[in-house]
Amino acid sequence: MEQYSLFQPQNILSVSQLTGYLRQLIEGDDLMQDLWVEGEISNFSRPSSGHLYFTLKDSQSAIRCVMWRNSAARLTFEPREGLAVEAHGGMGVYETSGQVQLYVDTLRPAGEGLLFQEFLRLKAKLEAEGLFDPSTKQAIPTLPKVIGIVTSLTGAALQDMLNTLRRRYPVVEVVIAPASMQGVAAPGEIVAALKLLNRQVKPDVILVGRGGGSIEDLWAFNDQAVARAVAASEAPVISGVGHETDFTLTDFAADLRAPTPTAAAEVATPDRVDLLGALTELANRHTSYLNSRLSSLRWSLGQAHNTLARLSPSYAVNTYRQRLDEISLRLERAARVDLERKTLHLAHLEQSLRSLNPHAVLNRGYAIVTRSSDGALVKRFDHVNPQDDIRIQVSQGTMDARILQTHQENKHDR
Amino acid sequence: MTDNPSEDIQAMDFETAFNALQENVSKLEGEDLPLEQALALFERGQALAKRCAALLEEAELKVRTLTVDSEEETEA
């Protein structure tokens, strides 16, 4: 009975106490709170709450798992029944049912961890070989004539790329080298397609692309033979492997990496609308050059015309004609001034003359006496003798007279 | 290229015509050319721009697919 002492009434635990203790044990254990576990999904359910409920099992055991909606939203694949996965999280107790379960925060397909290790190893190896060296990257031509495409004929990626090329740059020629994009045959087919394009077509650029998928679907692009063929391609290679976040070895080896096949077709080509704009601009530059050239020529022509006119004989004649006009004008002016001055002088003289006019003197009572015999002017008393006839001119007439006697004037009489 | 009277702009592909157009305008703007030569370049530029625009407007994407057979032939 001793061994059952735990079950004595004073030591009986309630169910809640038991689950609470269990929970304390589990949640206090560091290993239990941060663990990876691998198994197969079963009893998978996803109610409208968005949380995921499933059981992880192997051949012998099973454990309940819960993945809350916010963690489930980060999943990069679709969990389903029977899928082998690796789950990370912490153990807990759902006290309502006493269920011990794993609260999953990260879920990935099984083997991905190993694949990732392998990926890192290969990446380091190829990097060391210089396959990803930026200095070996080829420039992507801006105006390709021929674009090679390596993709699957059945994938949506091909139509995406063709539609993009048709919309942006329809003058390009497209050559498709078909290859499987997933599965065991994919790497070999991709390598062969790349070699075929380089050998037969020599395109200006090669697009390697496939649509989105899980990392497993893209695994061919992590094949080192594919990465090597991409790096060795004579034509520059643009990778457009549809995975926004994960880079494949092909992406590293490519001359340019685009996130999707459509984006790869876009970076490989100029846009038609941009080109039409550039064409208009180039045509306008031609026209504006010609206009400015012509207007400068017109100006030079005008200058030459002026120079010519200045140098012509008729210009000289005109110049002399003008100078002649100027001189004759000055002459005329000078002559007129001279004439005016002389006219004035004449008037002045006339005035003086008028005052000296003997007739004016006669008006004042003087007389002019002339000898009748010869008409000589009698200015002195001895110009005449007694009995000489004289004519006396006075104002308004003359008188004839005879000298009776002459007298010499005594000086002191005056 | 301007010296070549037999140059056939209508036979040019887009890249050739577009590059020629860019060269043409640089030549026109860069050098002090005799008028006659400048006029010839201008006319050539107009024709090149027209050719490029026509190609962009009218081109149909040419697509062909290599067959695995052709690869095997060349591989053999």
Coordinates of all heavy atoms in Angstrom, one line a residue, chain A residues 7 96 104 121 144 166 177 195-196 198 201 275-276 283 288-290 307 320 331 337 382 402:
Chain A
F7 N -1.7 8.7 -3.4 CA -3.1 8.9 -3.7 C -4.0 8.9 -2.5 O -5.2 8.8 -2.5 CB -3.6 7.7 -4.6 CG -2.9 7.7 -5.9 CD1 -1.8 6.8 -6.2 CD2 -3.2 8.6 -6.9 CE1 -1.2 6.9 -7.4 CE2 -2.5 8.7 -8.1 CZ -1.5 7.8 -8.4
T96 N -7.8 22.7 -21.6 CA -9.2 22.3 -21.8 C -9.3 20.8 -22.0 O -10.2 20.1 -21.5 CB -9.8 23.0 -23.0 OG1 -9.5 24.4 -22.8 CG2 -11.3 22.8 -23.1
V104 N 3.4 25.6 -33.6 CA 4.4 25.7 -34.7 C 4.5 27.1 -35.1 O 3.5 27.8 -35.3 CB 3.9 24.8 -35.9 CG1 4.9 25.0 -37.0 CG2 3.8 23.4 -35.4
R121 N 26.6 25.4 -49.7 CA 27.9 24.8 -50.0 C 28.3 25.0 -51.5 O 29.4 25.5 -51.8 CB 27.9 23.3 -49.8 CG 29.2 22.6 -49.7 CD 29.0 21.1 -49.6 NE 28.4 20.5 -50.8 CZ 28.9 20.3 -51.9 NH1 30.2 20.5 -52.1 NH2 28.3 19.7 -52.9
P144 N 18.4 44.9 -78.7 CA 18.7 43.6 -79.2 C 18.0 43.3 -80.5 O 16.9 43.8 -80.8 CB 18.2 42.7 -78.1 CG 17.1 43.4 -77.4 CD 17.5 44.9 -77.5
R166 N 6.3 41.6 -77.2 CA 5.4 42.1 -78.3 C 4.9 43.5 -77.9 O 4.9 44.4 -78.8 CB 4.2 41.2 -78.3 CG 3.4 41.2 -79.6 CD 2.3 40.1 -79.7 NE 2.9 38.8 -80.1 CZ 2.8 37.7 -79.4 NH1 2.1 37.7 -78.3 NH2 3.4 36.6 -79.8
A177 N 14.4 28.1 -77.2 CA 15.0 26.8 -77.0 C 14.3 26.1 -75.9 O 14.5 26.5 -74.7 CB 16.5 26.9 -76.7
K195 N 23.4 26.0 -74.7 CA 24.5 25.7 -75.6 C 24.0 25.8 -77.0 O 24.7 26.4 -77.9 CB 25.1 24.3 -75.3 CG 25.9 24.3 -74.1 CD 26.6 23.0 -73.9 CE 27.5 23.0 -72.7 NZ 27.9 21.7 -72.3
L196 N 22.8 25.3 -77.3 CA 22.2 25.3 -78.6 C 22.0 26.7 -79.1 O 22.4 27.1 -80.2 CB 20.8 24.6 -78.6 CG 20.1 24.4 -79.9 CD1 20.9 23.5 -80.8 CD2 18.7 23.8 -79.7
N198 N 23.6 29.5 -78.1 CA 24.8 30.1 -78.3 C 25.5 29.6 -79.6 O 26.2 30.4 -80.3 CB 25.8 29.9 -77.1 CG 25.5 30.9 -76.0 OD1 25.7 32.1 -76.3 ND2 25.2 30.5 -74.8
V201 N 22.3 30.2 -82.8 CA 21.6 31.4 -83.1 C 22.4 32.6 -82.7 O 22.3 33.7 -83.4 CB 20.3 31.4 -82.2 CG1 19.5 32.7 -82.5 CG2 19.4 30.2 -82.5
L275 N 10.8 54.7 -77.0 CA 11.5 54.8 -78.3 C 10.8 55.8 -79.2 O 11.5 56.6 -79.9 CB 11.6 53.4 -78.9 CG 12.6 52.4 -78.4 CD1 12.4 51.1 -79.0 CD2 14.0 53.0 -78.6
L276 N 9.5 55.7 -79.2 CA 8.8 56.7 -80.1 C 9.0 58.1 -79.6 O 9.2 59.0 -80.4 CB 7.3 56.4 -80.1 CG 6.9 55.1 -80.9 CD1 5.4 54.8 -80.6 CD2 7.1 55.3 -82.3
A283 N 14.1 63.5 -84.4 CA 13.6 64.2 -85.6 C 13.5 65.7 -85.3 O 13.9 66.5 -86.2 CB 12.2 63.6 -85.9
S288 N 15.3 71.4 -85.9 CA 15.7 72.7 -85.3 C 17.1 73.0 -85.7 O 17.5 74.2 -85.8 CB 15.6 72.6 -83.7 OG 16.5 71.7 -83.2
Y289 N 18.0 72.0 -85.9 CA 19.3 72.3 -86.5 C 19.2 73.0 -87.8 O 19.8 74.0 -88.1 CB 20.1 71.0 -86.7 CG 21.3 71.3 -87.6 CD1 22.5 71.9 -87.0 CD2 21.3 71.0 -88.9 CE1 23.6 72.2 -87.8 CE2 22.4 71.4 -89.7 CZ 23.5 71.9 -89.2 OH 24.5 72.3 -90.0
L290 N 18.3 72.4 -88.7 CA 18.2 73.0 -90.0 C 17.6 74.4 -90.0 O 18.1 75.3 -90.7 CB 17.3 72.1 -90.9 CG 17.4 72.4 -92.4 CD1 18.7 71.9 -92.9 CD2 16.2 71.8 -93.1
T307 N 27.5 94.4 -97.4 CA 28.9 94.6 -97.8 C 29.1 94.9 -99.3 O 29.8 95.9 -99.7 CB 29.8 93.4 -97.4 OG1 29.5 93.1 -96.0 CG2 31.2 93.7 -97.6
Y320 N 29.3 110.4 -103.7 CA 29.8 111.6 -104.3 C 28.6 112.6 -104.6 O 28.7 113.8 -104.3 CB 30.6 111.4 -105.6 CG 32.0 110.9 -105.2 CD1 32.5 109.7 -105.8 CD2 32.8 111.6 -104.3 CE1 33.8 109.2 -105.5 CE2 34.1 111.1 -104.0 CZ 34.5 110.0 -104.6 OH 35.8 109.5 -104.2
L331 N 27.3 126.1 -100.5 CA 27.7 127.2 -101.3 C 26.5 128.2 -101.4 O 26.6 129.4 -101.3 CB 28.0 126.7 -102.7 CG 29.5 126.6 -103.1 CD1 29.6 125.9 -104.4 CD2 30.1 128.0 -103.1
V337 N 24.0 134.4 -97.8 CA 24.4 135.3 -96.7 C 25.2 136.5 -97.2 O 24.9 137.6 -96.8 CB 25.3 134.4 -95.7 CG1 26.0 135.3 -94.7 CG2 24.4 133.4 -95.0
D382 N 36.2 183.6 -107.8 CA 37.0 184.0 -109.0 C 36.8 183.0 -110.2 O 37.4 183.1 -111.2 CB 38.5 184.1 -108.7 CG 39.0 182.8 -108.1 OD1 38.2 181.8 -107.8 OD2 40.2 182.8 -107.8
R402 N 23.3 187.3 -114.6 CA 24.6 187.9 -115.1 C 25.3 188.5 -113.9 O 24.7 189.1 -113.1 CB 24.3 188.9 -116.1 CG 25.6 189.5 -116.8 CD 25.3 190.2 -118.1 NE 24.8 189.3 -119.1 CZ 24.1 189.7 -120.2 NH1 23.7 190.9 -120.3 NH2 23.8 188.8 -121.1

